Amino acid sequence: MDLVRHLECFVAVAEESHFGRAAARLGMAQPPLSQRIQRLERELGVRLFERSSRHVAITKAGTLVLVEARELLARHEALMATARRIQDGESGLLRAALPPDIAGETVAAILAECRRRLPGVKLELRELPTAQQLAQLRVHELDVGLIQHPCDVSGLELGPVLRREVGVLLPRGAPAAELDDVSLAALSGYDLILFPRANALALHDDILTTCAGNGFIPATVRHGEGASFIRGLLLSAHAVAFGPRDTHRALAEGQDRDLTWRPLANSPLDWRHSVAWRTGRGDTAVNVFSEAAIHALEHAAAPTASAAPRPLHLRPAAEYQL
């Protein structure tokens, strides 16, 4: 008996509570599906479902078996993910991604740790915004990524949520540059430079909502990604931008004659990250990358890390999770 396939059939019927819908979901006819469930019941020696001509209900025994079945299928998926990475004996490939605003020193630390702990694995590291990471994770073109919240994390497993302090980048001649920390209201009258909305829709909108709620409505929202382009806008367009301290360490430490970084008063904004991978696809390589990313960010930015991910609550109006 193909236990994995039989368990997939059992889980589908349990979740759909209907043989016809389960068969459609599995891409098979209903009679073979019923036969697989009957054989699984015989093998296990328990009745999994109560059936009638119009109704299917999982039994108490079936409910207990369902928990174990889901765990076994998840481990099977993880095993297959590991097997897919195996190339020429002990060599393999891990496709990972980081967002564009991660400091170079942090990227180097992650690469060094992965090389040390995964000597037989080739790490293919990509620079991708959250939206592209999520899209590639869901079509199996990416194994693991460091995403920014809020975003839709359905179908994903997450590591600890990390917070990076966000401040404001502004010209040294700006009045707010003389302050030890800057309120959002003090930025009134400036344009705001943000990453393109398509990179992280929910985060983009949350930033603007937070600004408006704290007295800063930008005269214009300008979009930019490259460091040189953003620098040019900051110097010539009466604009400000937000960014984490670790990415802009030289500005934060006063090593730039033209621009400066200042913390925001009362910390109204922060960048929240977590490592993400498809549910059931975590393996040793994914875990090592996750631990390396967390360690590197903690060392570079000194954020706080919870022992487990914060509960993520669905926000129905915006259709994303935070």
Side-chain angles (χ1 to χ4, degrees):
M1 182 179 73
D2 183 349
L3 179 60
V4 170
R5 184 56 175 167
H6 281 69
L7 290 177
E8 288 174 343
C9 292
F10 164 59
V11 171
V13 175
E15 292 178 349
E16 298 292 341
S17 297
H18 192 279
F19 275 89
R21 290 195 297 269
R25 167 174 154 180
L26 295 166
M28 62 187 299
Q30 186 171 332
L33 174 60
S34 298
Q35 292 167 12
R36 286 178 183 267
I37 297 299
Q38 290 168 7
R39 183 174 181 187
L40 182 61
E41 289 178 324
R42 288 197 301 271
E43 290 287 336
L44 297 177
V46 296
R47 190 170 182 82
L48 300 174
F49 298 103
E50 296 293 347
R51 308 166 179 82
S52 69
S53 59
R54 296 185 178 180
H55 183 66
V56 177
I58 192 167
T59 63
K60 183 176 181 180
T63 301
L64 296 175
V65 172
L66 181 60
V67 175
E68 300 292 336
R70 284 173 170 155
E71 290 182 0
L72 193 152
L73 290 175
R75 294 314 307 155
H76 175 262
E77 286 290 337
L79 174 63
M80 296 306 295
T82 301
R84 283 191 291 269
R85 295 199 187 105
I86 301 302
Q87 299 171 350
D88 303 323
E90 293 185 353
S91 65
L93 173 68
L94 180 68
R95 302 164 300 176
L98 295 173
D101 71 343
I102 298 298
E105 293 80 3
T106 303
V107 175
I110 293 171
L111 286 169
E113 182 69 3
C114 288
R115 278 196 299 267
R116 183 182 72 82
R117 296 179 58 184
L118 299 169
V121 175
K122 177 184 177 181
L123 177 61
E124 182 185 289
L125 191 59
R126 308 169 186 177
E127 182 186 41
L128 296 172
T130 292
Q132 291 184 35
Q133 289 191 46
L134 295 174
Q136 292 192 15
L137 281 166
R138 287 176 177 133
V139 296
H140 307 276
E141 293 179 357
L142 190 68
D143 299 310
V144 62
L146 182 67
I147 61 172
Q148 283 184 280
H149 297 286
C151 62
D152 181 1
V153 297
S154 57
L156 301 177
E157 294 183 40
L158 304 178
V161 174
L162 298 162
R163 288 174 175 77
R164 298 163 68 200
E165 180 185 4
V166 172
V168 58
L169 312 174
L170 66 170
R172 280 196 175 275
E178 303 299 322
L179 303 173
D180 291 332
D181 51 30
V182 179
S183 69
L184 287 174
L187 303 176
S188 181
Y190 283 91
D191 292 353
L192 176 62
I193 306 167
L194 276 182
F195 51 84
R197 187 172 181 269
N199 287 2
L201 279 72
L203 178 60
H204 183 283
D205 294 350
D206 257 20
I207 290 171
L208 293 180
T209 299
T210 300
C211 288
N214 286 271
F216 173 37
I217 298 178
T220 302
V221 176
R222 301 174 181 268
H223 291 127
E225 294 183 89
S228 295
F229 182 76
I230 293 174
R231 179 182 178 84
L233 291 178
L234 288 170
L235 291 175
S236 62
H238 195 67
V240 298
F242 299 126
R245 177 191 293 270
D246 55 302
T247 303
H248 305 283
R249 190 172 301 280
L251 299 184
E253 295 175 356
Q255 299 173 16
D256 190 298
R257 293 179 303 174
D258 302 314
L259 300 176
T260 188
W261 181 96
R262 288 288 183 267
L264 290 171
N266 302 316
S267 301
L269 295 173
D270 59 15
W271 280 188
R272 290 177 290 148
H273 296 273
S274 62
V275 177
W277 58 95
R278 284 181 59 83
T279 300
R281 294 300 178 94
D283 60 11
T284 299
V286 167
N287 291 336
V288 168
F289 178 84
S290 177
E291 292 168 6
I294 291 167
H295 178 76
L297 281 171
E298 286 177 333
H299 179 75
T304 58
S306 55
R310 285 198 332 164
L312 300 176
H313 303 290
L314 185 65
R315 178 186 284 184
E319 297 184 354
Y320 62 78
Q321 294 180 328
L322 74 145

